C-alpha cells in the first residue's frame, strides 16, 4: 500500500500493488481528501487496513479501518480539536493504536478496541495532561506498546505503556531527544538526536550499548529484523545522499545503495562544524558552519530551515546544493534558531505565536556572530529558506539592517494573516497554537509579516513557488513580487505549474537548485550594493 497525490495538491489517494508487481490499483473511496497510512498499515493477517482521512469533514481527520475482503469500513471520530493519525494494529488484531495531535508538542496516545464495534477511542495518556506521547511499535505479545514522551524532561524519552496494569514506564532517557524506536526479538533499538547527529543505541538481553559502526549522519528510518540480530536503516549525511544500509549487533555496517552523483566522487565533500553563538536572554543557539576548502575570506549564505519546528542537521541538503556552493567558494551558516526541534521543548515553544519576533532576533545575532568568524566576509552575505525558512529569509531582507547581497525564498509566506486563513482545514487548532488566530490576532500577525516591510527590501531576490501549493498559496508570493517590481527591485520569479509545497518532481527540483546556485554565486561575487 502507498499514498500519492497529484502535482503536489496533498489530496492523497490509496493505492495497492501486488508483491509480484503489476500496476498500482486505486482503492480510494469518497471525495478528494487527505489520507494518511499507518507506518505498518495492515493487521497481522493482511486483511484489515488502517488509515486516516478527512473525507467526512474537511476540518476533521478520522481513523478508518477497512476490511479488504468485503471493503466495509469502520470509522472512528476524534475528539474536538484532535487530529488522528494511526500508529498500527496490535499483533493479535484487537487494538488500533493512534496518535492524537493538537500541536507538535501536544500529542496523546489513543487505543480503539477493534473487537467491539461500538467502542470509542480511549486516551491512555490523558492523566498526564499536555505533552508529547507519540506512540510507536507494539510488543510482540500485544500486552503493550512503546512511545516517545517528554513526560520526565523537556527532551523526549523512550517509554513503554502496559495494557495489563495501565502503567507508563521509562525505557531509555538521554539529555537529547530520542527520535526513532523499534524492537525485534530480544533487541530494542533507538536513535538519539545528539546536537543534530544520530547516535544508535541498542539493548540486547538487558545490556545497552552504542552501535560503533554507524557513520556520522542522520538516521531517518529504522527497522529491526524479527530475530533482533540485524536492522536496516535510511541514513543521510552531509557528504553523501540518503542511503539504505544494514547493520548487525556485532558492529557491522554496510551500505546497500550508492546514490552519489558523479561530481561528488571527484571532490572531497565538506563536513560541517558544530558551533554555538550567544543570543538574547542568555540563550545559546546551535548552528552548522560549512567552510569551503579553499582559502578565504568567503562570502556566506545564511540558510534557514523550514517548519518552524524543524532542525538544521548534517544531511545532504537540497540535493547537494550546499556541497556545490562550497565547491564554488561559498560558506554556509545554518542556525537552529528559536522554534527549532532537538534542543528541548522550551526552545521549541519560543516560536509559538511569535513568528518574526524572537526568531528574527536570533538571526540578527547570527549575522553579528559571522562578522567575528575568521575567513567569513559578511559584506557578501545572502539568505535563503523554504516554507517558514522563506518567511524568515524575507524577514531578514526586510527588517534586519545590513548589506544583503541577495535572498532566495522557496514557497515562503509573506503575509501571516492570509497564510493562517488559507491553511488546510485540519490544521485549524495547530495554526492557532503555533502561528495565531487570523481573526483575533490579525494586527500582530500583519505587524510581523514581510509584506508589511516590502518597501525596505532592496537586495536582488529569487522567489520560487508551486502553483498548486495548498499550504502557502501562490498569492503569497504574487503580492510581494508585484510590490518589489513596482519599485524596480531585481526579482526573479519562477512558478512551477505542476508543483505544490516544495518539489516532488525530480527534474523540477534539480532545475530549481541549479538556478538558485547560479543566482547566489552571481550575486555573492562582489560586495552588496
Amino acid at each position: 500500500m502507498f499514498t500519492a497525490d497529484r502535482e503536489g495538491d496533498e489530496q492523497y489517494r490509496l493505492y495497492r500493488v501486488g508483491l509480484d508487481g503489476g500496476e498500482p490499483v486505486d482503492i480510494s473511496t469518497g471525495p478528494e481528501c487527505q489520507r494518511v497510512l499507518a507506518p505498518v498499515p495492515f493487521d497481522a493477517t493482511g486483511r484489515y487496513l488502517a488509515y486516516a482521512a478527512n473525507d467526512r469533514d474537511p476540518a476533521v481527520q478520522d481513523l478508518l479501518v477497512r476490511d479488504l475482503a468485503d471493503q466495509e469500513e469502520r470509522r472512528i471520530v476524534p475528539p474536538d480539536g484532535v487530529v488522528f493519525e494511526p500508529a498500527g494494529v496490535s499483533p493479535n488484531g484487537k487494538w488500533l493504536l493512534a496518535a492524537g495531535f493538537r500541536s507538535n508538542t501536544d500529542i496523546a496516545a489513543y487505543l480503539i478496541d477493534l473487537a467491539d464495534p461500538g467502542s470509542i477511542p480511549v486516551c491512555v495518556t490523558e492523566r498526564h495532561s499536555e505533552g508529547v506521547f507519540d506512540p510507536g511499535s507494539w510488543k510482540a505479545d500485544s500486552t503493550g506498546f512503546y512511545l516517545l514522551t517528554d513526560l520526565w524532561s523537556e527532551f523526549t524519552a523512550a517509554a513503554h505503556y502496559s495494557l495489563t496494569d495501565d502503567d507508563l514506564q521509562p525505557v531509555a532517557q538521554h539529555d537529547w531527544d530520542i527520535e526513532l524506536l523499534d524492537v525485534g526479538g530480544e533487541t530494542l533499538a533507538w536513535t538519539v538526536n545528539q546536537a543534530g547527529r544520530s547516535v544508535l543505541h541498542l539493548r540486547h538481553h538487558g545490556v545497552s550499548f552504542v552501535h560503533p559502526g554507524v557513520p556520522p549522519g542522520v538516521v531517518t528510518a529504522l527497522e529491526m529484523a524479527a530475530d533482533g540480530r540485524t536492522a536496516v536503516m535510511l541514513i543521510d549525511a552531509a557528504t553523501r545522499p540518503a542511503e539504505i544500509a544494514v547493520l548487525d549487533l556485532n558492529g557491522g555496517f554496510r551500505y546497500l545503495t550508492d546514490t552519489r552523483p558523479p561530481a561528488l566522487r571527484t571532490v572531497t565533500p565538506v563536513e560541517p562544524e558544530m558551533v554555538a553563538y550567544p543570543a538574547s536572554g542568555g540563550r545559546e543557539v546551535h548552528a552548522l558552519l560549512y567552510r569551503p576548502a579553499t582559502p578565504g575570506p568567503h562570502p556566506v549564505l545564511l540558510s534557514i530551515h523550514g517548519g518552524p519546528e524543524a532542525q538544521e542537521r548534517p544531511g545532504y541538503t537540497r540535493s547537494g546544493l550546499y556541497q556545490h556552493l562550497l565547491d564554488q567558494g561559498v560558506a554556509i551558516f545554518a542556525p537552529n534558531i528559536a522554534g527549532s526541534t532537538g534542543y528541548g521543548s522550551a526552545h521549541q515553544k519560543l516560536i509559538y505565536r511569535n513568528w518574526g519576533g524572537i526568531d528574527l532576533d536570533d538571526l540578527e545575532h547570527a549575522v553579528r556572530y559571522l562578522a567575528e568568524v575568521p575567513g567569513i566576509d559578511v559584506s557578501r552575505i545572502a539568505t535563503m529558506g523554504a516554507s517558514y525558512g522563506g518567511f524568515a529569509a524575507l524577514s531578514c531582507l526586510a527588517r534586519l539592517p545590513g548589506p544583503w547581497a541577495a535572498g532566495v525564498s522557496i514557497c515562503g509566506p509573506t503575509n501571516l494573516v492570509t497564510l493562517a486563513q488559507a491553511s488546510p482545514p485540519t490544521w485549524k487548532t495547530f495554526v492557532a497554537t503555533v502561528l495565531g488566530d487570523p481573526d483575533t490576532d490579525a494586527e500582530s500577525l500583519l505587524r510581523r509579516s514581510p509584506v508589511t516591510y516590502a518597501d525596505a527590501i532592496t537586495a536582488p531576490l529569487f522567489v520560487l513557488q508551486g502553483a498548486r501549493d495548498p499550504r502557502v498559496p501562490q498569492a503569497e508570493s504574487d503580492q510581494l513580487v508585484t510590490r518589489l517590481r513596482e519599485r524596480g527591485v531585481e526579482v526573479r520569479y519562477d512558478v512551477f505549474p505542476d508543483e505544490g509545497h516544495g518539489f516532488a518532481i525530480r527534474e523540477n527540483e534539480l532545475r530549481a537548485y541549479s538556478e538558485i546556485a547560479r543566482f547566489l554565486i552571481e550575486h555573492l561575487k562582489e560586495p552588496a550594493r
Side-chain angles (χ1 to χ4, degrees), residues 2-197:
F2 65 92
T3 60
D5 69 350
R6 293 183 174 89
E7 298 182 338
D9 65 1
E10 299 189 8
Q11 301 298 295
Y12 291 93
R13 301 186 68 81
L14 297 170
Y15 294 89
R16 181 169 61 181
V17 62
L19 293 178
D20 56 353
E23 289 298 314
V25 177
D26 185 348
I27 65 166
S28 308
T29 59
E32 293 295 299
C33 67
Q34 295 171 321
R35 296 176 176 88
V36 180
L37 282 173
V40 180
F42 302 104
D43 73 329
T45 69
R47 175 172 176 173
Y48 294 97
L49 174 74
Y51 69 102
N54 64 335
D55 56 333
R56 177 183 60 86
D57 181 338
V60 180
Q61 189 159 288
D62 300 336
L63 292 174
L64 294 105
V65 180
R66 180 182 298 188
D67 185 334
L68 295 174
D70 60 19
Q71 301 305 313
E72 289 191 0
E73 285 189 330
R74 175 179 173 183
R75 182 179 299 273
I76 300 101
V77 177
D80 289 344
V82 172
V83 174
F84 267 161
E85 286 192 6
V89 178
S90 60
N92 63 7
K94 177 175 173 56
W95 301 102
L96 172 60
L97 179 62
F101 286 81
R102 291 186 183 272
S103 73
N104 288 333
T105 55
D106 187 1
I107 309 169
Y110 287 81
L111 282 174
I112 297 93
D113 187 350
L114 296 180
D116 179 3
S119 67
I120 61 173
V122 176
C123 181
V124 296
T125 56
E126 185 175 24
R127 67 177 179 273
H128 300 296
S129 190
E130 179 182 335
V132 172
F133 301 92
D134 194 5
S137 303
W138 280 95
K139 288 193 70 175
D141 59 6
S142 300
T143 61
F145 60 87
Y146 295 96
L147 71 158
L148 301 179
T149 178
D150 61 356
L151 176 62
W152 300 291
S153 81
E154 62 175 321
F155 295 98
T156 53
H160 174 260
Y161 175 81
S162 169
L163 274 69
T164 305
D165 51 17
D166 186 29
D167 187 38
L168 183 64
Q169 292 293 328
V171 171
Q173 292 178 267
H174 300 267
D175 291 332
W176 299 94
D177 283 336
I178 294 177
E179 294 187 307
L180 301 176
L181 179 71
D182 198 28
V183 61
E186 298 300 318
T187 304
L188 185 69
W190 67 94
T191 61
V192 178
N193 176 356
Q194 190 168 313
R197 289 193 170 102

